Every structure is written in C-alpha cells, then in structure tokens.
Amino acid sequence: MTGTVRVPWSVIPDYHCFGCSPHNAGGLRLRFTPDPAGLRTDFTLGRAFESYPGVVHGGMIGVIADELMGNLIVLARQHPAFTVSQRTRFLTPLLIDRDYHCVATLAEPAPGPIRASAEVRDADGAVCATSTASYQPFELAAVRHQLTLGDDEVALLATALANGVQP
C-alpha cells in the first residue's frame, strides 16, 4: 500500500481532530503513510508551536506520537482506543522549521491494553524523541454519550471501522 492513508474519521465530513483533520485550521493536519514498521507521518512545525525561542514545544511531540500510535491501532485493529498512559523521552530538542518524521509500531498482541511505540527522527535519521503508550479499546456504543456525533455519523464511523477505509 502506498500513498496517504485515510483514517476512519474521514468519513465524517467535518471531523476536527487536532492531529489529523484537514478541517481544523489550528490543528497539525498530519497525513499518514504506510511504513514497513507500521505508520509514518512527516512534519515541520513553525513558530506557532514554539516553546523556547527556536525550539518546538515538547507537548507537540507527544501529541504527534500519540496521534500516530492511536491511528495505527485504529487502522491495524479496526477498533478505536483511548490513550491511558504515555511516556515521551526527548534525546535532543526539536527545532522549529525543520523536517522530521515519526514512525509508530504496535507491540505484539497481549492481554490488556494495546501497547505501541513511536520514534521521531530528523532529516538525517537521528532519533530525537521516543514515545511509548498504552491504549484501551472501546466500543462506540459504550462511549456514545461522550462523543459529539450524530447517529448518522456514528453509523458511518462504525461502517468505516468494520470495513476499513481505503487510501
């Protein structure tokens, strides 16, 4: 599989995910591509995401890793899951207006929460940050009261999850 991977949420015409929605003007608008290890996103963050002068806010790196790991779970397992814990380790500061990429992988299936990891690398391939997380799968019907989706949107999303969304 090549090209950009569509996430199941894309069946909802106006979804506003901070990480991956093209409809969220203040979001990251991440795009995902297949990677032999799992799922990849390439990104460059400007001054809007700055912490210290010239340095990307570390929280943004956690967001990118979480977004990628969470969507990998949804795409690989065709099941949504909430993040229950995440640990991000920084080996070097990430700088604004520089090219980076993040690759997420899934741990081997085991009882309990789903585990995933991600690495952020610079244009030269050096690891700048790593992240690991645990995710708890959920059924749409069980969290329906927490989601701001109409019944028609829940049905669209349930179908996309069951059938997979093609790029």
Side-chain angles (χ1 to χ4, degrees):
M1 181 164 56
T2 59
T4 302
V5 175
R6 287 184 58 210
V7 295
W9 324 112
S10 65
V11 299
I12 300 169
D14 193 34
Y15 78 109
H16 267 72
C17 175
F18 177 76
C20 68
S21 174
H23 309 293
N24 187 336
L28 297 173
R29 298 180 178 191
L30 297 173
R31 296 171 59 111
F32 308 121
T33 56
D35 184 89
L39 195 62
R40 175 182 171 133
T41 190
D42 298 309
F43 64 95
T44 305
L45 298 175
R47 294 205 61 203
F49 302 105
E50 187 176 63
S51 175
Y52 291 113
V55 176
V56 173
H57 191 287
M60 297 312 303
I61 305 311
V63 168
I64 291 167
D66 181 46
E67 184 72 18
L68 194 61
M69 291 184 287
N71 275 294
L72 176 58
I73 290 167
V74 171
L75 292 164
R77 306 273 174 91
Q78 296 179 313
H79 209 280
F82 286 129
T83 310
V84 293
S85 69
Q86 181 179 359
R87 180 183 174 141
T88 303
R89 182 172 174 247
F90 300 94
L91 288 81
T92 183
L94 279 79
L95 305 178
I96 63 165
D97 298 325
R98 300 278 178 93
D99 296 333
Y100 295 95
H101 69 271
C102 184
V103 174
T105 59
L106 288 178
E108 291 297 319
I114 300 170
R115 302 198 190 296
S117 61
E119 285 188 344
V120 176
R121 294 180 178 263
D122 65 17
D124 295 326
V127 177
C128 302
T130 61
S131 190
T132 56
S134 297
Y135 296 82
Q136 185 61 50
F138 64 86
E139 296 295 331
L140 284 174
V143 299
R144 177 69 179 91
H145 65 285
Q146 296 171 317
L147 302 176
T148 56
L149 297 173
D151 291 338
D152 56 335
E153 293 169 323
V154 170
L156 281 171
L157 184 53
T159 300
L161 288 166
N163 300 326
V165 175
Q166 301 303 313

